[in-house]
Amino acid sequence: MTAISERDQLAYIASQAADARVNVELETEGMTLNLGPQHPATHGTLRIVAKLDGEEIITAEPIPGYMHRGYEKLTEVRTYPQVTALINRIDWLGSFANEVPFILAAEKLMEVEAPPQAQHIRTILFELARIANISLFLGDFGLQLGAMTMGFYAFRDREHVLNQIEAATGGRFHPNFDRIGGLKDDLPKGWIAETKAAMARLRAFCDETETLMMGNEIFQARTRGIGIIPADIALSYGLSGANLRGSGVDWDLRRDACPPGLAYDQADWKVWTHPDGDCYARTWVRLQETREATLIVDQLLDSLPGGPVMAKVPRIIKVPEGEAYVETENPLGAMGYYVVSKGDLVPFRVKIRTPSFNNISIVPWVARGVYVPDLISILGSLYFILGDIDR
């Protein structure tokens, strides 16, 4: 019997190990993971189809359309005043903000401008909608990453804002308060002082969020360096809002292309950006913007000009023939309405540009190569509303 040398033994072991690796690689097949359409991380009925290699994501494709409601066609059989009751359901967390760009587009076609008092109040309600929307995001995003306290705090303090919106408009979620040429009513008595108190409460909420969530080492571990979107990629995908400013792009429609009918130029405020482009940066920008919005509201309340809140417009609105596009900086990003009129009581065509549709389109790019738990951080930080995607 031939004796086996130590070198031969090592060579044999190495060859077996190599075969084992080959076999392991062959046995590990890719897996398809369906995230949603009903999942807390998708904020509604959105399906993400992810192909995995182990825990690493190879591809992730968002599949929207589960709650498509056909708003663009429905507007063709609604009069202009009726359209606002429809479209403030697109982004239901910032509903008043949805009404504004459509009204501004109609005013542009009619060559009507709201009185200064109405422009101030319209801008204040716009910012209240932003605060209500983003404060809930801050609590919900913390909840998704394990910080349950922030969820309770957000629901508690958002109530202060919703109470003020309800006191002024009569509705908490769907105000239907904007009108072509102004607003439905003036502000109620005592509303200014109560709103200032609510803004102080929201600033305290922002401070608590900065300490409890943004300063938490677990939150930072799950968001810093995760889901990085460089500025050029963000621009190429048409991202807007905090998702764009979180990549360092200094662009805000309120400052850079504010349409007539809003009063942002009457306040001194700052556009916040962050250079990192990761999940933490996007959240940080939204937190600063919430605090900044409370300051805008305070300044506009201090400088309310007085006077009427409605311009002279016909009781039956008939928009002259023409086309107009107006977009505003909504809580989720740039939202625009392209309105085509043939001179009738109803629009001939309406095209709605919503921010969430573009913001979610970057998921296949940003989710490639990350681990499954990081996909939750990325989806949460991109922050979208399904009604805003599907409209």
Side-chain angles (χ1 to χ4, degrees):
M1 188 173 180
T2 307
I4 300 174
S5 67
E6 187 175 342
R7 173 175 292 184
D8 292 338
Q9 286 181 340
L10 290 172
Y12 176 76
I13 293 169
S15 66
Q16 291 297 308
D19 288 344
R21 275 203 302 277
V22 170
N23 289 337
V24 168
E25 289 172 2
L26 289 174
E27 289 171 1
T28 303
E29 296 180 356
M31 187 181 82
T32 300
L33 174 68
N34 274 289
L35 193 74
Q38 298 289 349
H39 190 281
T42 59
H43 309 184
T45 48
L46 174 68
R47 180 176 163 217
I48 306 281
V49 179
K51 294 191 181 302
L52 310 179
D53 180 6
E55 283 209 45
E56 184 180 336
I57 295 173
I58 306 303
T59 62
E61 182 185 1
I63 301 180
Y66 285 87
M67 57 183 301
H68 182 55
R69 291 168 287 175
Y71 283 147
E72 289 167 345
K73 293 305 289 181
L74 289 172
T75 57
E76 297 172 9
V77 290
R78 301 287 195 281
T79 64
Y80 284 89
Q82 288 174 335
V83 170
T84 55
L86 192 70
I87 57 177
N88 62 27
R89 287 160 170 77
I90 293 176
D91 166 15
W92 46 74
L93 295 181
S95 48
F96 181 81
N98 298 329
E99 302 174 8
V100 175
F102 176 79
I103 291 292
L104 294 180
E107 286 180 353
K108 187 175 180 181
L109 285 169
M110 294 181 69
E111 298 181 351
V112 170
E113 191 165 292
Q117 167 93 328
Q119 293 186 24
H120 267 63
I121 298 173
R122 187 183 274 170
T123 311
I124 290 167
L125 290 171
F126 199 114
E127 289 306 298
L128 289 181
R130 185 186 314 280
I131 295 166
N133 188 318
I134 301 180
S135 60
L136 192 62
F137 155 78
L138 293 168
D140 184 61
F141 190 39
L143 200 61
Q144 290 181 40
L145 300 186
M148 184 174 284
T149 305
M150 287 314 307
F152 292 130
Y153 281 13
F155 276 106
R156 178 196 65 189
D157 292 328
R158 179 168 165 264
E159 280 298 301
H160 297 289
V161 183
L162 293 182
N163 288 342
Q164 293 314 109
I165 293 175
E166 182 183 20
T169 68
R172 293 170 72 79
F173 265 31
H174 306 299
N176 193 23
F177 192 65
D178 224 346
R179 297 287 185 274
I180 296 173
L183 297 169
K184 178 175 176 289
D185 286 314
D186 204 342
L187 295 174
K189 191 176 180 182
W191 193 84
I192 293 176
E194 291 169 4
T195 304
K196 282 197 164 191
M199 293 303 97
R201 188 69 200 91
L202 264 294
R203 281 192 286 276
F205 165 77
C206 291
D207 295 341
E208 289 168 344
T209 305
E210 197 129 35
T211 305
L212 287 176
M213 191 172 82
M214 305 300 289
N216 184 285
E217 60 182 88
I218 298 174
F219 180 83
Q220 294 201 16
R222 294 203 59 184
T223 54
R224 280 194 181 275
I226 306 294
I228 296 175
I229 303 173
D232 58 333
I233 298 296
L235 288 168
S236 68
Y237 275 88
L239 266 56
S240 60
N243 291 329
L244 183 64
R245 292 186 285 275
S247 293
V249 179
D250 187 12
W251 175 256
D252 191 312
L253 286 167
R254 294 174 292 176
R255 181 198 63 190
D256 302 312
C258 184
L262 295 171
Y264 286 108
D265 59 344
Q266 302 298 312
D268 183 21
W269 57 284
K270 178 181 178 182
V271 174
W272 292 88
T273 61
H274 197 292
D276 290 353
D278 56 11
C279 297
Y280 182 89
R282 291 188 280 276
T283 310
W284 184 88
V285 168
R286 287 196 179 92
L287 173 62
Q288 306 310 322
E289 289 182 353
T290 305
R291 188 182 282 119
E292 199 71 36
T294 66
L295 300 174
I296 294 174
V297 170
D298 273 355
Q299 291 180 61
L300 293 180
L301 287 173
D302 288 335
S303 60
L304 274 175
V309 295
M310 193 67 193
K312 288 184 179 178
V313 294
R315 287 178 64 84
I316 297 176
I317 300 292
K318 209 168 184 180
V319 174
E321 187 172 346
E323 302 176 9
Y325 178 72
V326 172
E327 63 178 357
T328 53
E329 189 70 35
N330 280 44
L332 301 175
M335 184 174 198
Y337 289 82
Y338 190 86
V339 180
V340 181
S341 173
K342 293 291 186 184
D344 297 324
L345 297 173
V346 299
F348 178 70
R349 290 284 186 274
V350 174
K351 173 75 178 77
I352 308 172
R353 193 273 188 203
T354 58
S356 293
F357 188 83
N358 283 69
N359 288 345
I360 199 68
S361 68
I362 202 167
V363 167
W365 187 90
V366 73
R368 191 167 53 226
V370 306
Y371 292 110
V372 173
D374 295 337
L375 181 60
I376 305 302
S377 301
I378 292 170
L379 290 175
S381 70
L382 287 174
Y383 189 35
F384 49 86
I385 300 291
L386 259 297
D388 204 53
I389 296 175
D390 288 348
R391 59 191 185 284

